[in-house]
Amino acid sequence: MHSKVAALDLGQDAVTLTAHLVDVPSESRQEKALADLVEQALRGVPHLRVDRDGDAVVARTALGRAERVVLAGHLDTVPVADNLPSRLDEDGLLWGCGTSDMKAGVAVQLKLAAGLAEPNRDVTYVFYDAEEIASEFNGLKRLAERHPDWLAGDFAVLMEPTGGRVDGGCQGTLRVEVRTTGRRAHSARSWLGENAIHKAAPILDRLAAYEPRRVEIDGLVYPEGLNAVLINGGHATNVIPDFCTVTVNYRFSPDQSERQALDRVRDLFDGFDVLVTDSAPGALPGLSHPAAAAFVAAIGTAPAAKEAWTDVARFAALGIPAVNYGPGDPTLAHTREEHVVAASILEAETRLRTWLTA
Amino acid sequence: MHSKVAALDLGQDAVTLTAHLVDVPSESRQEKALADLVEQALRGVPHLRVDRDGDAVVARTALGRAERVVLAGHLDTVPVADNLPSRLDEDGLLWGCGTSDMKAGVAVQLKLAAGLAEPNRDVTYVFYDAEEIASEFNGLKRLAERHPDWLAGDFAVLMEPTGGRVDGGCQGTLRVEVRTTGRRAHSARSWLGENAIHKAAPILDRLAAYEPRRVEIDGLVYPEGLNAVLINGGHATNVIPDFCTVTVNYRFSPDQSERQALDRVRDLFDGFDVLVTDSAPGALPGLSHPAAAAFVAAIGTAPAAKEAWTDVARFAALGIPAVNYGPGDPTLAHTREEHVVAASILEAETRLRTWLTA
């Protein structure tokens, strides 16, 4: 142990445990102290096998059950915004960086890991690093590449904050730059130049006229979106511009592969340079799997389509259907006013315990 | 005299005098040393009345001639680019900051001011500060406001580098921002937002379709230009943009007033917010005036329409037709490789002397 902070007591209630986790700062790529505490606490639990890679920790039961489910959560937070240490107010709100996104979920994972010696399904608990920053650093991505066997399972729950709702699957996301070029000239002699901004007019026309798809899968509706998010062109107020770049973000339904999504975008912008800058696949909700159906029944609320891209897509890429479910309000994530309703942490723990023991 | 540099000798040839002027650095707002030298030298010329305002110096003959002409030039330069002191090479090129723009022209003014005791027209020689920076500091603007009588005349020659050609009048220039607004949303839930970049499509369509005017005045053709010079919209690659700003530069023929030019632009972008960020009137060439016609005949080359906006418009605003004419290559202005052909300085001096004595 390099950390000077107190060891985690997994016998505490989930709210107190959440506060303890929050009070160990763990901005992305600085998760070591917290990962050490998690590893140490889980190594003390006799019914778990514990593995570690970098600052990711994976603990598993090995009971030979017919199904294995995965509960996953990230240890890192966005940068602290002068909102530590944590504070539990008289209205039962726990305040502080990472309360909602997603140390409340991590606390629930830890409580279940320590408390369920004989769950009805084998369970894999995954705690990983660097979810809040560029994908190249993502701990779940690294585990999928180095130790796919640690992540094996029939169904996964990513415990990101969803306000206690089950969010199924996720959209894919594709970003491209659609570009025009021209020729610079002084704007007093514009006929010597070629205006790249004027040449971008059809790009915006096609975007404005585009009718986005709405796709239904497993009873969930995934509405797509195809939008310019940035536009930039020109050098100075007296120069005919020789470039214009429109950055387009396509959020596509998980019925399409990344390739199909790109083909659709290339078709739309036929005649223009299209450069891919970012692409991530969507994830099917997989709610028809028995373990998923039992999960939805245990949670007891109607599932919805997840609109944002999340790490469930990494499980989908491994062939594991996955959903998002966790305490905490997703709209408070990354805000200075981040907090979580203490009772919602206990409720999530109870519902998951029901699913894994009933 | 606060300067430590040697007094100007107006008996030297114009090339040597140019080199002397160049070797007194005079970046905009640091013209005092050079203005002091110019004032001192001109006060020693018995046939001139000399006035000074800040770092502008105005010297006039008062012979009671039927016509008065103005020769004007600025004393300041852009920042020195490691290209001082001046150097005359064996090919007859004088190198250094300000050689072309426009101390060669200033040297010609000084030679004529000292040498022409009895010109055929009364002559006003204007030397002013701060032409190379924002208009608010412009010395000619200040003189026009404080001492319009010092600038009075029937015709003016601004001795900016034109490669020895007469450039008549100038275009006006108008800059506006044409803006759209929308509503931000996460791009995964784009239906909650309103895309300001998509709404800019008609702005670019109208610009791309616009047919610029070509206007002939006094035999000179002024081709207009109406162009997007900058476009900027959006915040991040996952946010539906709530603003888009297209900066448009309209270079208009001097047959239109600023107001008429703005009306034309507002009509074109009907339905959009249009914010004026910059406006300057054009200047008619005025070549039908007798003094101007005699000038063109003395220079001996066909005049052309001036495309860029220049300080001739300040004379036009005072009701004084004006042209640009001077030694030096305008394309070398503001470059580190700035230089002037020594012989072109002497040629300009000879032609102007002919005009003012023949």
Side-chain angles (χ1 to χ4, degrees), chain B:
Chain B
M1 286 294 296
H2 300 283
S3 165
K4 296 173 188 153
V5 294
L8 295 176
D9 175 2
L10 302 187
Q12 293 176 310
D13 68 273
V15 176
T16 307
L17 184 57
T18 300
H20 191 159
L21 296 171
V22 169
D23 290 338
V24 182
S26 59
E27 293 181 20
S28 304
R29 310 200 76 188
Q30 297 168 44
E31 304 93 338
K32 183 173 188 308
L34 186 58
D36 286 347
L37 287 181
V38 167
E39 180 186 0
Q40 181 194 43
L42 293 172
R43 288 208 187 272
V45 178
H47 59 266
L48 295 175
R49 167 179 171 161
V50 178
D51 291 295
R52 178 157 176 171
D53 180 288
D55 289 330
V57 178
V58 178
R60 288 176 280 177
T61 63
L63 300 165
R65 303 292 196 230
E67 289 180 339
R68 174 176 291 279
V69 297
V70 181
L71 298 185
H74 61 84
L75 296 173
D76 63 318
T77 68
V78 294
V80 175
D82 198 21
N83 53 359
L84 285 186
S86 64
R87 181 174 60 85
L88 181 64
D89 73 12
E90 56 198 9
D91 296 322
L93 304 181
L94 179 66
W95 297 76
C97 179
T99 45
S100 178
D101 185 12
M102 57 169 282
K103 290 182 175 176
V106 169
V108 171
Q109 286 178 269
L110 289 169
K111 287 295 293 177
L112 297 171
L116 295 177
E118 299 207 339
N120 55 9
R121 299 167 174 91
D122 270 312
V123 187
T124 301
Y125 303 93
V126 178
F127 305 87
Y128 63 101
D129 51 306
E131 191 270 347
E132 297 288 7
I133 55 174
S135 175
E136 63 185 301
F137 302 110
N138 187 290
L140 191 61
K141 175 173 183 282
R142 188 180 69 246
L143 289 175
E145 287 162 2
R146 293 192 188 169
H147 308 287
D149 53 309
W150 296 4
L151 301 179
D154 299 292
F155 176 65
V157 179
L158 196 64
M159 297 201 58
E160 290 274 1
T162 63
R165 189 175 76 166
V166 179
D167 284 346
C170 77
Q171 299 171 325
T173 179
L174 170 67
R175 287 192 184 82
V176 298
E177 291 182 358
V178 189
R179 297 166 164 190
T180 61
T181 56
R183 194 169 60 245
R184 286 199 211 193
H186 195 289
S187 64
R189 293 176 289 278
S190 53
W191 53 92
L192 300 178
E194 197 180 294
N195 195 311
I197 296 176
H198 296 190
K199 290 163 86 176
I203 299 171
L204 301 194
D205 287 332
R206 294 180 204 177
L207 282 165
Y210 186 80
E211 293 281 350
R213 304 163 73 227
R214 285 175 63 85
V215 180
E216 186 173 328
I217 304 169
D218 287 358
L220 308 187
V221 175
Y222 294 85
E224 295 194 339
L226 179 65
N227 280 275
V229 285
L230 298 172
I231 189 167
N232 180 32
H235 304 275
T237 58
N238 61 351
V239 177
I240 300 301
D242 65 358
F243 80 95
C244 185
T245 301
V246 186
T247 303
V248 173
N249 186 204
Y250 182 28
R251 299 287 179 147
F252 56 93
S253 153
D255 71 319
Q256 291 193 104
S257 69
E258 290 173 275
R259 180 59 198 245
Q260 289 170 320
L262 177 57
D263 285 346
R264 187 179 295 272
V265 168
R266 284 200 194 281
D267 282 351
L268 182 65
F269 297 115
D270 188 38
F272 290 95
D273 282 343
V274 172
L275 178 82
V276 176
T277 57
D278 186 35
S279 176
L284 291 165
L287 297 182
S288 54
H289 189 281
F295 172 76
V296 170
I299 302 306
T301 56
K306 184 69 176 179
E307 287 149 359
W309 194 90
T310 78
D311 269 347
V312 301
R314 300 192 193 279
F315 284 107
L318 292 170
I320 307 171
V323 299
N324 287 280
Y325 168 75
D329 180 343
T331 66
L332 294 173
H334 308 187
T335 67
R336 188 174 168 144
E337 296 69 35
E338 185 175 355
H339 61 266
V340 64
V341 177
S344 73
I345 307 174
L346 303 175
E347 181 181 324
E349 181 189 356
T350 300
R351 292 190 184 273
L352 288 169
R353 192 182 298 275
T354 300
W355 174 47
L356 294 172
T357 55

Side-chain angles (χ1 to χ4, degrees), chain A residues 67-253:
Chain A
E67 289 180 337
R68 174 176 291 278
V69 296
V70 182
L71 298 185
H74 61 83
L75 296 174
D76 62 320
T77 69
V78 294
V80 175
D82 198 20
N83 53 359
L84 286 187
S86 65
R87 179 173 62 86
L88 182 64
D89 73 14
E90 55 197 11
D91 296 323
L93 305 181
L94 180 67
W95 297 76
C97 179
T99 47
S100 178
D101 185 13
M102 57 168 282
K103 290 182 176 177
V106 169
V108 171
Q109 287 178 269
L110 289 169
K111 287 295 293 177
L112 297 171
L116 295 178
E118 297 207 342
N120 55 8
R121 299 169 175 89
D122 271 312
V123 187
T124 302
Y125 303 92
V126 178
F127 306 86
Y128 64 100
D129 51 307
E131 190 272 347
E132 297 288 6
I133 56 174
S135 175
E136 63 186 299
F137 302 110
N138 187 288
L140 191 61
K141 175 173 184 282
R142 188 181 69 246
L143 289 175
E145 289 163 0
R146 292 193 190 168
H147 309 286
D149 53 310
W150 296 3
L151 302 179
D154 300 293
F155 176 65
V157 179
L158 196 65
M159 297 202 56
E160 291 273 2
T162 63
R165 189 175 75 166
V166 179
D167 285 347
C170 77
Q171 299 171 324
T173 180
L174 170 67
R175 287 191 184 83
V176 298
E177 290 182 357
V178 190
R179 298 166 164 191
T180 60
T181 56
R183 194 170 59 247
R184 286 200 210 193
H186 195 290
S187 64
R189 294 176 289 278
S190 53
W191 53 91
L192 300 178
E194 198 179 294
N195 195 311
I197 295 177
H198 296 191
K199 289 162 88 176
I203 298 170
L204 301 194
D205 287 332
R206 293 179 204 176
L207 282 164
Y210 185 79
E211 293 282 350
R213 303 163 72 226
R214 284 175 64 84
V215 180
E216 186 173 329
I217 304 169
D218 287 357
L220 308 186
V221 175
Y222 294 84
E224 297 193 337
L226 179 65
N227 280 275
V229 286
L230 298 172
I231 189 167
N232 180 33
H235 303 276
T237 58
N238 61 351
V239 177
I240 300 303
D242 65 358
F243 81 96
C244 184
T245 302
V246 184
T247 304
V248 173
N249 186 203
Y250 181 29
R251 300 287 179 146
F252 56 94
S253 154

Side-chain angles (χ1 to χ4, degrees), chain A residues 233-300:
Chain A
H235 303 276
T237 58
N238 61 351
V239 177
I240 300 303
D242 65 358
F243 81 96
C244 184
T245 302
V246 184
T247 304
V248 173
N249 186 203
Y250 181 29
R251 300 287 179 146
F252 56 94
S253 154
D255 72 319
Q256 291 193 104
S257 68
E258 292 173 272
R259 180 57 198 247
Q260 289 170 319
L262 178 57
D263 285 346
R264 188 179 295 271
V265 168
R266 285 199 192 280
D267 281 352
L268 182 65
F269 297 114
D270 187 39
F272 290 95
D273 281 343
V274 173
L275 179 81
V276 176
T277 57
D278 187 33
S279 176
L284 291 165
L287 296 182
S288 54
H289 190 279
F295 173 76
V296 170
I299 302 306

